[in-house]
Each structure stands twice: as structure tokens, then as C-alpha cells.
Amino acid sequence: MSHIRILIVEDEPLIAMSTSAMLEGIDYEVSAIAYDSDGALEQLRSDPPDLALLDVNLKSRLDGIQIAEIIQDEHDLPFIFLTSYASEAIVERAKLTRPMGYIVKPFDEKDLFTAIEIALYN
């Protein structure tokens, strides 16, 4: 059993639950699911994971890229963007945060596993 704990930040409950099931299916532990930026920031402070999966477009106070900036400034952990958005402007903005990965939805377990393993290795 892996002891890698992953925070999922996703505002769509069905996608969050599907991602959680994928992670558990490939032997990772989901530390929490945050459905908005406030929940994500609270989880990062109170129960830091080993890695965070961030949706770029959150219907909340901060978007995933802004959360990534906070992770960079205040936490020492890798993060991967999981998003439906791959426009040039979004990718340019995301690159500035130096993510360990950027996965475009829909994705499968192999995509997720590979990105996580590379992120954790780096």
C-alpha cells in the first residue's frame, strides 16, 4: 500500500469522486477533496498532502493557478493541473507556477499514474 497522500481540488463532485476512485485504484491515498479554494487552502494548512491535483477553473474565490502560486510560496509540495482548459493563455499562465504536470480532461488511470510518479520523482 502506498503512503502517498494526494489532495484533489475539483469543484465538480462527479469528477472529484471519479479521480478519487482512480487514485485509490492505483494505490494512492486521497487525503481530502476540496471543492473550492477556501477548502483547498484549509487542507494545505491543516493536513498537508504529498501532492496536489488542481483543477484550473474553480467556481470559487481563487482559481487553481492562484492556489498553485500559494503552494509555491508557502508549501513545499508538487502539484499537477487537471483541467479541461488548454488554451494558449491558460497554459502560459499555468507555466509560470512551474507545475509538475498538466493533464487535459478526460484522462485515464495511466495518464494520472505516470504524471504523479514523474512529479514525485522530480
Side-chain angles (χ1 to χ4, degrees):
M1 181 72 160
S2 173
H3 294 289
I4 303 300
R5 301 174 66 250
I6 299 175
L7 169 64
I8 299 170
V9 182
E10 169 64 62
D11 61 350
E12 296 292 335
L14 289 175
I15 294 172
M17 296 309 292
S18 173
T19 302
S20 178
M22 277 188 205
L23 290 170
E24 291 169 357
I26 52 179
D27 206 25
Y28 294 112
E29 179 184 338
V30 175
S31 63
I33 296 174
Y35 296 103
D36 59 29
S37 59
D38 292 335
L41 297 176
E42 175 57 33
Q43 285 299 316
L44 288 165
R45 278 189 298 271
S46 67
D47 188 22
D50 298 304
L51 180 137
L53 298 176
L54 306 173
D55 184 13
V56 169
N57 188 31
L58 297 171
K59 298 174 191 87
S60 65
R61 184 172 58 86
L62 303 174
D63 67 17
I65 295 173
Q66 291 167 306
I67 294 169
E69 292 167 347
I70 292 168
I71 289 172
Q72 268 191 317
D73 293 341
E74 300 176 14
H75 306 277
D76 184 26
L77 63 101
F79 56 90
I80 297 170
F81 290 115
L82 299 178
T83 183
S84 300
Y85 297 90
S87 72
E88 186 175 339
I90 295 289
V91 171
E92 286 301 314
R93 218 178 126 222
K95 282 185 343 187
L96 297 175
T97 66
R98 304 185 63 150
M100 290 291 171
Y102 192 100
I103 301 174
V104 178
K105 297 172 189 174
F107 54 88
D108 62 24
E109 279 185 5
K110 286 185 279 185
D111 297 329
L112 198 54
F113 174 78
T114 303
I116 291 169
E117 288 298 309
I118 295 296
L120 293 171
Y121 181 80
N122 286 327

